[in-house]
Amino acid sequence: MNITHLSAECYPIAKVGGLADVVGALPKYQNELGANSRVIMPFYNNAYTSTHQFHSIYNSVLNLGETTYEYQILKLQNEALEFDIFFVHVPELLFKDYVYSAEDTLRFLAFQIGALDWIIQQDELPEVIHCHDHHTGLVPFMMKESYKYAKLQGVPSILTIHNAQYQGWFSHDLVGLIPEFNFVHVGLLDWYSVINPLASAIKCAWRVTTVSPSYMEELKASANGLEALLRHEYAKCIGILNGIDTEVWNPETDSYVIKNYNIDTIAEGKESNKAWICKEFNLDINKPLIAFIGRLVHEKGSDLFPGIFDTILQQNNCNILLLGSGNSDVELQLNTLKPSFAGIYNTFIGYDEKLSHIIYAGADFLLMPSRVEPCGLNQMYSLRYGTIPIVNKIGGLKDTVIDINTPNGFGICHDGATPAEICNAINRAVAFYDDPKFTQIRREIMTIDHSWHASAKAYLNLYNSLKPAL
Ligand code: ADP
Ligand code: GLC
C-alpha cells in the first residue's frame, strides 16, 4: 500500500516536539509491515538540511491567489531513514531557520499546495494521504473540493490530531489563496466565522485519529472550541496510541548517553549517567533526581513549576533538574530560584537532544503534570530507560501509566494539575526512592513494550478498512 504522510516536522530533520518523533518513526514501522510509506515535509534551513544531500526531482511554480512562487520537490539521499522523504522547497516562504512563525498561514498553504500539485503530476497516486495536525489540515478539503485536485477525490484522507489546541485559524479574507472550488461548500472550511484548518480536516478527512484513546474521549468535552464538531463526527474518529522508536530510544545502544545499560546492568548504567548529570549541574547524587523535559507552556503545567519547586526543594530531600524552553516569565522565575537551592536544583533553558537522552537515562523520576497531554512520548521514553514517571492522569498519560498503589502499578499518578496534587505526587516519589521495591520496579518498566509494532498495524488496518471505496 502506498501511503503519503504530510507533516511540518519529522525527526531527525526538523523537530519541535513529539510530532517529529511520530512522523520520523511510523513510516519506518509501516514499511516493516510491507507498506510503502513516505513523508513529504517543508524544506527548512537548519543544521540537518545544511549537512545532508538532496536532489531536485521536480521544478515548478505554485500559486497562492495572484502570487506565484517558484518551488522544487527535493528528495533526501539517505538510506538510513528506512523510508523515502520528500521536501517542498519554497525558498521565499519555507526555507527559514525555524519551523513555526507568525506567517504560518501563507507558509503552510504553500507547503500543502506544493505537495498536492506535485502528487497529481505522478503516474501513480498514493493510496492514502495521511495528514498530521492543522499545518496540513486544508489538504482533505482541497482533495475533496478544489477542481484542480479532482483526481484525488477517490483517495482516502486521514487526519491525525496530535494537539487540538492549535488549529491554524485565519480570516475568510484569505479564502482566495485556496485553489478554486465550488463556493457553495465554503462552510467546510469554516468554524465560528473564521477559516479553521483543523476543523476543516475533521469535517473532510475520511477518518480522524488522535494519538491516544483517552484523548479522543476528552476532546468530546474539551477541544478548544471543537467539542461539538468532534461529537458530531465521532463515528469516523478513533484513538490510536502512539508508539516509540525502540531503535532510537534504546539505553543499550543509545550513542548520546554516558554509559549504555540494559535490564541486567541498570544499576551501574543509571548511576553513571546520574553521576555525570550531578557533576555537570551541581546536584546531589545521594538524593533522588526528579527531572522535567519539555515545552514550558500552560498545557504542560509549567506555570505551576516555580511555586511547586520552591515548596518541594525547601524540604531538601531531592534534586530537581529541568530541561526546556517556552514562556519567558516561567523561564525567568525558574532561573531566579537557582541561588536559593544551589546543589539540589538546576535548569537548562533551551533545546538539547543529547542532554534529553542523558536525563532520561540518569534521572530517577520524570515529572509530567500536564493539564493536556494528547499522548506524551516522554513518559514512554522514561519507562524504557528505567525512570519512573510521575504523571497527571489524563490523555495518553492515563493510557500508559498505572499507579504503584494499584495492582501491576509502576508509576506515580495524581488527579489533576494542582500544586497540592503535584507536590503530593513528588513526595510519594521521594518516599518510594527508599522503598525496597524501587529497584525492582525500575527494572520491570524497562521491559514494557511501547514499540510502534501494534500501532503501525492499527493504522494499516484503518487504511485497509477504507479500501473497498477505492
Ligand atoms: P510535545 O510534542 O507536546 O512537546 P511529547 O511528549 O509528545 O510532547 O514529545 C516531546 C518530545 O520533545 C520528546 O522527544 C522530548 O524528549 C522532546 N523535547 C521536548 N523539549 C525538549 C528540550 N528542551 N530538549 C530536548 N528535547 C526536548
Ligand atoms: C503533540 C502532543 C503530545 C503527543 C505528540 C505526538 O505534540 O502534545 O502529547 O505525544 O503530539 O503525537
Side-chain angles (χ1 to χ4, degrees):
M1 172 173 262
N2 290 327
I3 303 148
T4 294
H5 291 273
L6 295 177
S7 172
E9 301 178 36
C10 178
Y11 181 82
I13 296 122
K15 169 168 168 177
V16 177
L19 170 63
D21 290 1
V22 170
V23 177
L26 176 58
K28 171 169 127 182
Y29 287 86
Q30 290 181 326
N31 288 346
E32 274 178 18
L33 293 169
N36 176 18
S37 188
R38 62 182 188 169
V39 172
I40 309 180
M41 69 179 294
F43 194 64
Y44 305 112
N45 181 7
N46 65 16
Y48 190 96
T49 57
S50 56
T51 52
H52 288 77
Q53 295 290 317
F54 301 84
H55 64 265
S56 172
I57 55 167
Y58 183 70
N59 264 288
S60 190
V61 291
L62 64 85
N63 296 315
L64 286 182
E66 305 288 294
T67 316
T68 299
Y69 296 89
E70 292 193 352
Y71 88 106
Q72 295 178 345
I73 298 290
L74 307 177
K75 184 169 191 278
L76 174 66
Q77 293 176 298
N78 182 358
E79 298 300 312
L81 279 188
E82 297 171 63
F83 56 90
D84 286 337
I85 178 150
F86 301 88
F87 297 82
V88 178
H89 182 28
V90 188
E92 227 174 299
L93 295 174
L94 293 171
F95 192 60
K96 308 286 179 190
D97 60 4
Y98 47 78
V99 174
Y100 303 117
S101 73
E103 314 104 56
D104 283 354
T105 298
L106 273 193
R107 297 176 71 233
F108 288 113
L109 254 171
F111 166 56
Q112 296 170 83
I113 292 171
L116 291 185
D117 280 1
W118 173 58
I119 287 173
I120 57 165
Q121 300 304 316
Q122 293 162 42
D123 296 335
E124 207 179 331
L125 296 179
E127 286 166 274
V128 168
I129 296 190
H130 190 148
C131 305
H132 295 267
D133 274 351
H134 74 84
H135 327 102
T136 58
L138 294 171
V139 164
F141 174 84
M142 294 192 285
M143 289 169 65
K144 189 168 146 47
E145 300 291 340
S146 288
Y147 301 126
K148 75 194 270 205
Y149 304 131
K151 255 174 116 170
L152 297 175
Q153 273 173 1
V155 177
S157 56
I158 310 284
L159 165 73
T160 293
I161 304 175
H162 294 261
N163 198 325
Q165 289 302 111
Y166 311 101
Q167 300 170 9
W169 313 265
F170 62 93
S171 157
H172 275 279
D173 297 346
L174 299 180
V175 73
L177 301 181
I178 298 172
E180 200 183 349
F181 58 93
N182 182 345
F183 212 70
V184 167
H185 297 154
V186 69
L188 290 173
L189 293 169
D190 181 88
W191 195 246
Y192 289 112
S193 307
V194 291
I195 295 183
N196 182 321
L198 192 68
S200 171
I202 295 168
K203 295 179 196 183
C204 298
W206 292 31
R207 289 290 183 277
V208 175
T209 74
T210 60
V211 289
S212 70
S214 288
Y215 185 55
M216 186 80 255
E217 284 307 305
E218 289 166 7
L219 284 179
K220 288 195 275 177
S222 171
N224 203 9
L226 300 181
E227 306 75 19
L229 177 61
L230 282 155
R231 285 197 296 269
H232 179 72
E233 298 287 359
Y234 199 62
K236 69 176 188 191
C237 296
I238 173 175
I240 299 178
L241 189 69
N242 283 335
I244 60 170
D245 189 329
T246 46
E247 287 169 12
V248 173
W249 297 93
N250 180 355
E252 203 166 6
T253 53
D254 189 332
S255 58
Y256 285 141
V257 303
I258 302 303
K259 187 176 170 75
N260 290 110
Y261 59 94
N262 58 27
I263 185 165
D264 298 321
T265 54
I266 178 172
E268 309 93 89
K270 286 191 77 69
E271 185 77 10
S272 300
N273 285 288
K274 183 172 175 182
W276 182 91
I277 294 171
C278 289
K279 188 153 179 273
E280 193 72 15
F281 291 98
N282 182 31
L283 301 173
D284 182 349
I285 191 151
N286 297 312
K287 294 188 167 88
L289 172 56
I290 295 164
F292 172 86
I293 299 172
R295 296 177 294 121
L296 300 176
V297 295
H298 185 258
E299 281 191 335
K300 303 280 179 193
S302 65
D303 49 301
L304 304 174
F305 290 173
I308 288 166
F309 292 176
D310 194 13
T311 307
I312 292 292
L313 292 165
Q314 307 256 4
Q315 299 169 180
N316 195 19
N317 57 9
C318 67
N319 301 283
I320 295 180
L321 175 64
L322 174 141
L323 164 63
S325 63
N327 181 295
S328 48
D329 282 348
V330 172
E331 289 179 356
L332 182 69
Q333 289 177 52
L334 288 168
N335 279 340
T336 309
L337 277 182
K338 280 192 201 175
S340 315
F341 301 110
I344 53 169
Y345 170 66
N346 218 328
T347 64
F348 182 103
I349 301 296
Y351 187 93
D352 190 321
E353 190 73 24
K354 178 177 165 69
L355 179 59
S356 77
H357 286 239
I358 300 173
I359 296 178
Y360 288 118
D364 297 300
F365 298 93
L366 187 89
L367 185 64
M368 287 186 84
S370 312
R371 293 186 172 99
V372 179
E373 198 60 79
C375 178
L377 301 172
N378 301 16
Q379 80 280 13
M380 296 195 263
Y381 299 146
S382 88
L383 290 171
R384 182 133 169 94
Y385 284 67
T387 300
I388 296 173
I390 307 171
V391 306
N392 187 21
K393 260 196 271 174
I394 44 117
L397 299 175
K398 182 171 155 190
D399 292 346
T400 50
V401 182
I402 305 172
D403 191 85
I404 40 168
N405 287 342
T406 45
N408 303 319
F410 50 81
I412 313 267
C413 300
H414 56 89
D415 266 311
T418 61
E421 278 288 325
I422 301 166
C423 286
N424 185 38
I426 295 175
N427 286 331
R428 283 178 61 210
V430 172
F432 189 61
Y433 183 71
D434 293 323
D435 191 304
K437 284 203 299 238
F438 174 75
T439 47
Q440 176 201 333
I441 292 280
R442 68 178 191 175
R443 275 164 61 96
E444 283 172 13
I445 59 180
M446 285 184 73
T447 64
I448 298 174
D449 183 6
H450 278 300
S451 68
W452 266 106
H453 298 289
S455 307
K457 205 172 272 170
Y459 278 110
L460 290 185
N461 290 342
L462 177 69
Y463 307 152
N464 278 322
S465 73
L466 303 172
K467 246 185 171 169
L470 285 172

